[in-house]
Amino acid sequence: MSEPMKHLLKLGDLTTEQIMSILNLADQLKYEYKHGIAHPILAGKTLGMIFQKASTRTRVSFETGMYQLGGHALFLSSRDLQIGRGEPVQDTARVLSRYLDGIMIRTFAQQEVEDLAKYGSIPIINGLTDYAHPCQVLADLMTIRERKGSLKGLKLCFIGDGNNMANSLIVGGIKVGMHVSIACPDAYQPDAAILAWAKESGQFAIGEDIAALVKDADVVYTDVWASMGDEGELEQRKKAFASYQVNAAVMALAKPDAMVQHCLPAHRGEEITEEVMEAHADEIFEEAENRLHAQKAVLVKLMK
Ligand code: CP
Ligand code: NVA
């Protein structure tokens, strides 16, 4: 049995066993859900969901997931909370810990998520920061394992911005035994500490040579060129990332049965072509669905 988890702040905090245990539970919950087997494991529990950024998938999948687990979810827009008027995170954490059984937060600074965990007394889940998107990568790993049968030894190539997704894919992918390569402009590399850790693993490559990095990939992954918060740099980024597109020519270099994954939302014609997006729609939308199942597993692990 894996060590119990207290929070999900970033994948770097989890052991390989903990990640695999979440994926196994996610598969089980998905099976039960698809077969009409109710699992009200979190009856009577409430999750608070704090959003400082927009969301479609994260909000709806967490809210629905809590309902399916017999619990309740509260949508808390930071615009309406006192946090938006400057109430410190450490006070918010201590107050909300007295009402809720868990908090999911989407915000800018990773430190804010770490502070909620430090000052609060309930499980905290990172629903995306500028640094990490652990819930997304758990769903990605679940989807890749479903389609490929196992994870160990697979090659995942991420093409694009060295952002929150790149950071979490590097950590999650390497921890489950995948080889991860990142094709990104030198000026937009992932977090330096994550890169240093990844380079030690012997399962990692990074650079600007897209063709070499995507060669024989089992999974090709991409994300937007301008993340939430980066919109002001869009024109500059469009130039920097112009050649970092997942298109038919790039896919021809990957394995013939390579999967495409995209955390969504996608910008067709920028990081991915319409053609590749539609050819791989099944696995991309399965990935979106798996947010629900993977997060239910996280909620059960943390709040049961
Ligand atoms: N992938 C993802 O987190 O989507 P949302 O921004 O819609 O939540
Ligand atoms: N990198 C993107 C991911 C969105 C799910 C962003 O942060 O906006």
Side-chain angles (χ1 to χ4, degrees), residues 54-59 106 128 133 136 228 263-265 291:
S55 170
T56 297
R57 280 144 288 268
T58 305
R59 178 188 173 175
R106 165 168 287 196
L128 181 146
H133 199 0
Q136 178 68 53
M228 290 180 277
C263 56
L264 303 176
R291 294 291 304 278

Side-chain angles (χ1 to χ4, degrees), residues 62-274:
F62 266 107
E63 188 161 340
T64 308
M66 274 306 286
Y67 177 75
Q68 292 175 3
L69 290 167
H72 180 62
L74 279 176
F75 173 70
L76 305 166
S77 161
S78 61
R79 261 182 314 204
D80 306 322
L81 290 174
Q82 295 289 9
I83 211 170
R85 295 180 56 246
E87 183 167 18
V89 158
Q90 57 264 47
D91 295 356
T92 306
R94 286 177 284 194
V95 171
L96 292 182
S97 291
R98 290 166 187 260
Y99 305 135
L100 300 170
D101 301 288
I103 295 174
M104 191 287 303
I105 177 166
R106 165 168 287 196
T107 189
F108 294 86
Q110 178 71 17
Q111 192 57 48
E112 202 172 319
V113 179
E114 306 275 343
D115 285 347
L116 268 184
K118 180 172 169 196
Y119 292 100
S121 53
I122 55 175
I124 306 298
I125 300 170
N126 179 349
L128 181 146
T129 60
D130 293 344
Y131 172 76
H133 199 0
C135 293
Q136 178 68 53
V137 170
L138 290 170
D140 302 337
L141 296 176
M142 177 182 180
T143 313
I144 296 165
R145 191 171 72 156
E146 268 178 348
R147 302 237 162 187
K148 297 284 180 194
S150 63
L151 295 169
K152 214 174 164 139
L154 293 182
K155 176 173 173 179
L156 180 146
C157 177
F158 176 91
I159 299 176
D161 185 19
N163 59 14
N164 43 13
M165 281 312 313
N167 286 337
S168 292
L169 283 165
I170 294 170
V171 177
I174 289 176
K175 283 199 180 224
V176 300
M178 297 170 90
H179 185 281
V180 179
S181 66
I182 304 283
C184 71
D186 286 345
Y188 293 92
Q189 290 206 343
D191 178 77
I194 289 179
L195 287 188
W197 174 86
K199 283 173 184 165
E200 290 287 299
S201 71
Q203 296 161 236
F204 183 69
I206 185 165
E208 293 192 326
D209 185 348
I210 302 170
L213 291 158
V214 79
K215 191 168 175 344
D216 294 331
D218 298 284
V219 184
V220 179
Y221 203 116
T222 191
D223 183 19
V224 290
W225 291 340
S227 286
M228 290 180 277
D230 296 332
E231 292 85 353
E233 301 174 7
L234 185 59
E235 289 316 309
Q236 172 193 335
R237 282 170 171 268
K238 275 187 181 171
K239 288 192 195 105
F241 289 103
S243 57
Y244 291 82
Q245 185 189 58
V246 175
N247 52 34
V250 163
M251 290 309 298
L253 299 167
K255 287 213 179 120
D257 63 348
M259 289 172 64
V260 173
Q261 295 279 267
H262 192 312
C263 56
L264 303 176
H267 291 70
R268 290 168 168 82
E270 293 184 15
E271 77 278 1
I272 191 166
T273 57
E274 170 84 24

Side-chain angles (χ1 to χ4, degrees), residues 33-69:
Y33 176 69
K34 299 278 180 188
H35 290 80
I37 303 166
H39 37 224
I41 306 166
L42 298 183
K45 307 256 181 179
T46 305
L47 176 77
M49 308 187 298
I50 303 176
F51 282 93
Q52 308 231 30
K53 291 175 174 172
S55 170
T56 297
R57 280 144 288 268
T58 305
R59 178 188 173 175
V60 177
S61 56
F62 266 107
E63 188 161 340
T64 308
M66 274 306 286
Y67 177 75
Q68 292 175 3
L69 290 167

Side-chain angles (χ1 to χ4, degrees), residues 17-52:
E17 291 67 35
Q18 286 172 323
I19 294 173
M20 297 314 292
S21 175
I22 293 169
L23 300 185
N24 293 341
L25 180 56
D27 285 350
Q28 183 194 323
L29 292 170
K30 182 172 183 175
Y31 176 89
E32 290 177 5
Y33 176 69
K34 299 278 180 188
H35 290 80
I37 303 166
H39 37 224
I41 306 166
L42 298 183
K45 307 256 181 179
T46 305
L47 176 77
M49 308 187 298
I50 303 176
F51 282 93
Q52 308 231 30

